[in-house]
Amino acid sequence: MLSFRTRITLGILLPLLLTLAVILLALSLPQTAARFSADSERLMLILPSSETPGENNNAAAAQPVQSFLVNGAPQQAYAGLVMEEPDVLPTHSAIDALMSDIGQLTQALQQGQLSVLTASGEYPLTASPRQLSDLTWTFWIQCLSALAVLLICTLVWLPGGINAGKGGFLLTGVSYFFLVTAAGLYSSRNLFIDASLFHHLHLLNVLATQMFMAGLVLFLW
């Protein structure tokens, strides 16, 4: 039987460590000086015009991507590469294909073999380390809300024993942390993420969503 002080320590320390692990994982994702976005059905390249072929002013430039070049070989560029949530795709095979395409681009980037082709010319892409300032505000909202939920679970867990309703509430809180942070990691990427990591984060999001619903049903029952 854990002492009350030990329970308090664990209830505060574990959420903080889990949140720190999520932030470190987000910082480990590769990125480039260029940014990508979707415009209608096209993938757009956004970079300072000083780095854009054929441009000499200080305004940011955005232009359609014609294709990627992986070690000189063309690879299709399409708007879906930057979609935040792959679950909107109609089939599992489409989700797997998206993750595979992103994984190939990420591997080429990390090996220094990736460039992007636009109407202005070819622009080589190089991987750069992510800083805290590179993490999006949506990621921070998801991360902090997930931490707050775990701390609330700590307050519920500390007093008394565990019954069905209390257990259901705790299950919703823990599963909420994992479903939100998993989605926050892959939805805030700058296009690039390892295919295996993307796949496991997506599975974690799906599993945690099911656990959240089960915990909610148990809590309400």
Side-chain angles (χ1 to χ4, degrees), residues 152-185:
I152 292 172
C153 285
T154 296
L155 296 176
V156 173
W157 172 58
L158 287 176
I162 300 293
N163 53 35
K166 192 173 182 179
F169 182 87
L170 295 176
L171 181 58
T172 62
V174 173
S175 57
Y176 177 85
F177 178 89
F178 288 106
L179 74 89
V180 168
T181 53
L185 283 165

Side-chain angles (χ1 to χ4, degrees), residues 57-107:
N57 55 64
N58 293 322
Q63 47 192 314
V65 176
Q66 295 180 349
S67 68
F68 287 100
L69 297 175
V70 178
N71 201 19
Q75 181 164 326
Q76 182 184 10
Y78 54 96
L81 291 170
V82 294
M83 68 169 51
E84 294 184 356
E85 181 51 70
D87 277 344
V88 300
L89 295 174
T91 63
H92 290 295
S93 59
I95 295 175
D96 292 339
L98 173 67
M99 293 179 180
S100 177
D101 289 342
I102 293 174
Q104 291 176 28
L105 294 174
T106 301
Q107 184 177 14

